[in-house]
Amino acid sequence: VLMTDLTMDTGVQELLVKAEQETIETAFQRAKEQEPHCKFGLTGVCCRRCLQGPCRVTFNGNKGVKRGVCGATADQIVARNLLSLIVEGTTPHVEHAREILHTLLETAEGKAPYEIKGKEKLIAIGKQLGLMVDGVELDKLAREVALIALQDFQQQSGVSHWLRLRAQEQSVETWEKLNILPSNAHLEIANAINKTAMGCESDPVSLLLAIMKMGLVEGYDGLHLSTDLQDILFGTPRLVKTQYRMGVIKEDYVNIAVHGHIPMVSEKILEWSRKLNNKAQALGAQGINIVGICCSANELLMRQGVAVATNYASQELAIITGALEAMVVDAQCIMPGLAQVAECYHTELISTLPNIKIEGASHVDWTPEAADQMGEEIVRRALAHYPERDQSKVRIPGDTVEAYAGFSVEQIVELLAALNGPDPLLPLIEAIAQGDILGVVAIVGCTNPKVKQDWANTEVAKELMRNNVLVVATGCSAHSLGKNGLLSPAGLQYCGEKLASVLTAIGQANGLPALPPALHMGSCVDNSRIDDLLVALATRMGVAVRELPVAGSSPENHSPKALSIGTFFIAQGVDVHIGVNAPITGSPLVEQALTANKGEFSVTTDELFGGKLIYEADPIQAAQTMIVRIMQKRQALGL
Ligand code: BF8
Ligand code: SF4
């Protein structure tokens, strides 16, 4: 296999060669060892829900048996499996939200060593929740906000407070009619698992509605709640400039990589690296250098401008530079294979969350109260490892790329206000109406060793830009764009003329040469920011979100989280493209309901919600399919 077929990232290519020379195995190689994949698994018709099985039924309607031992059909098995997958996508975000909620609560009560940096966000949310904000102490207000959020994990009836807070009224009406308004996130998760249990729900249509409901749990008590409370605690992101690629790991520094998702951990590591920076100098290093991987990278990038080493598929390769003293992980997207790689170097792999332990890693417990002890202990351990570094094993690929990030909705609105202070969204809406911006597409989600790393993400983006579609991005996809120069004004060369002139005008009104062609809006929970932007645009235009000429795309999806986030956007009436198919093709009913592709099955998400799933592995074709849909939605709006 050629390294150039595995990834676009030249730094990762170089490190893959090094890994091979040192006989270290990585995900890129293990992905090949799994081929060819089992068709029953790929199409979703393998059921392991009870010990009469596992049962495998026909995945193409012809060969093989039609029913499992209990009589379950392919439609039923696929629908149950999909619900269970969407629950596994939603739950990590819901737990993420609950962790931040408790941190905020304990901070407000003076028990945890964090401060409330997002005063304006706290007051805005307090007002929207109907709380008294005038003259109320910040701590008291934060406590009240956290206690309302806590009801979304406790109440036995009623609708999620965060859904009421963030959803557009038209959408709520649609969901209410379909009886899928969620109440309490934990209750909904338990309810969904109960549905999928052996001998419980077998009606595929009811299971599909449960899937859409889980999408709403994901959207409001996963994504929105996490972002909102994180902004209250750590501040709302503002425009920042940073560097991308493996070259951000610095040979003459003590290097600590933060990897995972939970900013309560990574922010404390950053804080303590600053406090203990002079200790590095005593060891002969220039200082302590923090670099990010995956969404921990996004959180620190958005609020602190911290540089990004790499994204999901190449996380192991960061250790193979031989120059990481520690890799600190919390939750989600942490490859167990990291431990095996770390063993070959002086790098200490350290897990932090009480509920998430990693075989072969050491552990320093993070809790809100013990956050400072954790931060100090981990940074001190990294310092102690610096003299153990084996210089003969160090190879850091040299290049870095400049990138901009920090595009919260608040920041976007502020940039637009330079064009129209009293009505900042108007210039954007006018640009859309005139066709200078054809539409907006969010490129989100992962990298996946099944796909050449960063390739599909950047190709979809470039094809959209060429056609004057404004791109916003989150997650590891945003990293793909960053590594390839699309988060910098230099990337304007890929834009159609009309889009380029809009981005230049907004940039210049703000003292920048231009805005980058893709606006980095944050981590995967920050897909809530994209939703906020859509709701704000639709509301200002006087239409429903489902009518907007927009789409979402996850060209290199691997995580069930990408599917649960996608489900949320389909429920909003937004088409969602994926480049790696979900395991649904074994069921004509489920596939048709989600993709609206064939005609026999009468109920589709497209009809009920206004959004559908698009599966397309070819990035150019995918972009074109989204553009066709954007044109249809434009036409329906009379544009
Ligand atoms: O939550 S984009 S690979 S790191 S799942 Fe994972 Fe996918 Fe990266 Fe962030 Ni999101
Ligand atoms: Fe087989 Fe039914 Fe058990 Fe699934 S639930 S393993 S289809 S018997």
Side-chain angles (χ1 to χ4, degrees):
V1 189
L2 287 173
M3 302 311 174
T4 46
D5 289 341
L6 299 178
T7 174
M8 269 181 84
D9 185 329
T10 49
V12 175
Q13 289 169 8
E14 198 180 321
L15 290 165
L16 281 170
V17 173
K18 182 173 189 270
E20 206 171 63
Q21 287 162 352
E22 296 177 2
T23 62
I24 297 171
E25 182 189 282
T26 68
F28 291 96
Q29 178 191 353
R30 290 189 299 265
K32 297 286 167 232
E33 289 165 2
Q34 288 297 328
E35 288 173 359
H37 289 273
C38 164
K39 286 231 170 70
F40 296 100
L42 277 177
T43 56
V45 293
C46 168
C47 182
R48 288 176 292 120
R49 256 163 239 294
C50 85
L51 309 187
Q52 299 169 85
C55 298
R56 302 175 307 180
V57 302
T58 175
F59 51 76
N60 56 14
N62 310 322
K63 267 194 240 153
V65 300
K66 297 245 187 299
R67 289 178 182 265
V69 173
C70 66
T73 63
D75 287 338
Q76 294 165 352
I77 291 172
V78 168
R80 274 193 318 213
N81 284 349
L82 183 61
L83 175 54
S84 145
L85 198 61
I86 301 289
V87 168
E88 282 192 33
T90 301
T91 303
H93 286 150
V94 164
E95 284 301 278
H96 181 153
R98 197 180 54 81
E99 302 267 17
I100 176 85
L101 187 168
H102 280 290
T103 308
L104 181 64
L105 193 57
E106 292 185 33
T107 302
E109 290 173 349
K111 295 177 196 156
Y114 293 90
E115 355 159 4
I116 292 163
K117 293 190 183 149
K119 186 180 157 197
E120 284 170 21
K121 189 91 172 205
L122 172 60
I123 290 172
I125 289 173
K127 267 192 202 149
Q128 287 165 316
L129 286 169
L131 297 170
M132 255 286 290
V133 299
D134 293 334
V136 178
E137 275 172 49
L138 285 188
D139 283 352
K140 197 165 166 275
L141 183 58
R143 188 168 181 279
E144 284 184 67
V145 167
L147 289 175
I148 292 178
L150 194 57
Q151 289 180 32
D152 281 2
F153 295 86
Q154 291 174 331
Q155 63 183 10
Q156 295 300 304
S157 58
V159 176
S160 151
H161 291 79
W162 243 257
L163 184 148
R164 289 272 186 230
L165 180 70
R166 289 294 180 220
Q168 199 194 21
E169 203 39 56
Q170 290 95 313
S171 300
V172 179
E173 274 168 30
T174 305
W175 304 330
E176 194 161 23
K177 272 189 217 140
L178 293 167
N179 198 21
I180 59 166
L181 286 173
S183 170
N184 148 354
H186 283 172
L187 184 78
E188 301 303 353
I189 288 168
N191 199 263
I193 295 174
N194 185 41
K195 278 175 183 290
T196 61
M198 194 275 151
C200 288
E201 191 153 278
S202 66
D203 177 351
V205 176
S206 180
L207 285 160
L208 278 164
L209 287 169
I211 287 166
M212 300 311 292
K213 188 179 198 181
M214 196 46 52
L216 299 181
V217 175
E218 163 69 297
Y220 295 106
D221 285 310
L223 311 181
H224 276 287
L225 187 56
S226 296
T227 301
D228 281 342
L229 300 190
Q230 283 172 188
D231 280 358
I232 291 176
L233 212 43
F234 301 113
T236 301
R238 317 215 5 112
L239 191 61
V240 289
K241 192 174 166 183
T242 192
Q243 302 285 319
Y244 263 96
R245 290 186 171 240
M246 289 291 187
V248 305
I249 299 171
K250 295 186 201 150
E251 186 148 8
D252 46 354
Y253 279 73
V254 173
N255 292 301
I256 304 175
V258 291
H259 171 24
H261 288 80
I262 312 295
M264 290 84 88
V265 172
S266 48
E267 286 270 354
K268 274 293 168 195
I269 301 294
L270 182 68
E271 185 184 325
W272 277 95
S273 76
R274 288 171 179 163
K275 285 184 181 157
L276 297 174
N277 196 48
N278 58 351
K279 300 269 187 264
Q281 284 143 10
L283 294 169
Q286 302 275 339
I288 304 175
N289 180 38
I290 305 290
V291 300
I293 299 175
C294 284
C295 281
S296 289
N298 282 320
E299 299 289 354
L300 287 192
L301 164 60
M302 291 288 285
R303 296 194 184 83
Q304 307 266 8
V306 166
V308 182
T310 202
N311 50 1
Y312 173 77
S314 48
Q315 54 186 272
E316 293 160 304
L317 283 303
I319 299 178
I320 292 172
T321 60
L324 286 189
E325 275 55 57
M327 182 183 276
V328 185
V329 300
D330 45 60
Q332 306 167 34
C333 297
I334 317 295
M335 287 188 188
L338 286 170
Q340 231 187 328
V341 180
E343 253 174 38
C344 307
Y345 298 90
H346 72 302
T347 310
E348 185 174 354
L349 179 67
I350 308 170
S351 60
T352 50
L353 293 192
N355 285 332
I356 313 266
K357 305 273 164 61
I358 313 274
E359 184 181 356
S362 55
H363 185 84
V364 179
D365 227 14
W366 170 86
T367 59
E369 315 87 73
D372 273 327
Q373 287 90 313
M374 176 219 63
E376 179 172 6
E377 168 70 19
I378 288 177
V379 174
R380 284 192 189 277
R381 285 194 194 185
L383 286 162
H385 293 310
Y386 182 70
E388 298 163 14
R389 195 192 284 181
D390 178 350
Q391 289 303 336
S392 71
K393 281 187 168 179
V394 174
R395 192 190 305 159
I396 307 171
D399 58 335
T400 59
V401 187
E402 184 186 283
Y404 288 83
F407 292 94
S408 58
V409 175
E410 291 85 339
Q411 177 65 85
I412 292 172
V413 167
E414 202 182 305
L415 290 164
L416 290 169
L419 298 176
N420 185 337
D423 194 355
L425 289 177
L426 192 62
L428 187 56
I429 291 166
E430 282 172 349
I432 294 171
Q434 287 154 11
D436 291 342
I437 294 177
L438 195 69
V440 184
V441 171
I443 299 188
V444 307
C446 320
T447 60
N448 178 338
K450 277 184 176 173
V451 181
K452 178 174 170 179
Q453 187 186 21
D454 302 330
W455 168 76
N457 285 332
T458 49
E459 288 300 306
V460 171
K462 284 182 191 168
E463 181 67 8
L464 292 167
M465 290 167 183
R466 205 171 63 75
N467 286 282
N468 299 303
V469 173
L470 177 65
V471 171
V472 297
T474 58
C476 288
S477 294
H479 295 327
S480 294
L481 305 188
K483 289 197 272 176
N484 289 290
L486 299 177
L487 299 182
S488 136
L492 235 57
Q493 55 172 310
Y494 299 107
C495 296
E497 262 175 46
K498 292 177 184 172
L499 176 64
S501 64
V502 175
L503 293 169
T504 306
I506 302 170
Q508 288 184 354
N510 288 280
L512 298 164
L515 290 189
L519 307 182
H520 189 342
M521 296 187 72
S523 64
C524 286
V525 293
D526 290 337
N527 283 308
S528 62
R529 299 190 199 279
I530 296 172
D531 183 53
D532 280 335
L533 184 64
L534 297 186
V535 169
L537 277 176
T539 306
R540 175 62 188 81
M541 288 167 74
V543 301
V545 170
R546 62 189 285 170
E547 297 175 80
L548 293 174
V550 302
S553 171
S554 187
E556 301 179 31
N557 55 308
H558 88 81
S559 170
K561 291 180 283 170
L563 298 180
S564 51
I565 294 167
T567 305
F568 170 53
F569 280 94
I570 290 174
Q572 286 284 27
V574 174
D575 280 16
V576 171
H577 157 250
I578 50 174
V580 177
N581 212 355
I584 57 171
T585 55
S587 162
L589 184 147
V590 173
E591 197 185 13
Q592 283 170 41
L594 290 172
T595 61
N597 261 346
K598 302 164 192 162
E600 317 145 42
F601 185 66
S602 57
V603 184
T604 68
T605 57
D606 198 14
E607 288 158 356
L608 294 180
F609 300 92
K612 63 180 188 313
L613 186 71
I614 299 165
Y615 162 61
E616 177 55 67
D618 178 72
I620 304 299
Q621 188 54 51
Q624 288 302 336
T625 305
M626 286 186 278
I627 289 170
V628 167
R629 179 69 158 188
I630 283 172
M631 294 304 290
Q632 286 166 355
K633 291 204 174 182
R634 287 185 67 92
Q635 214 168 16
L637 284 171
L639 301 178

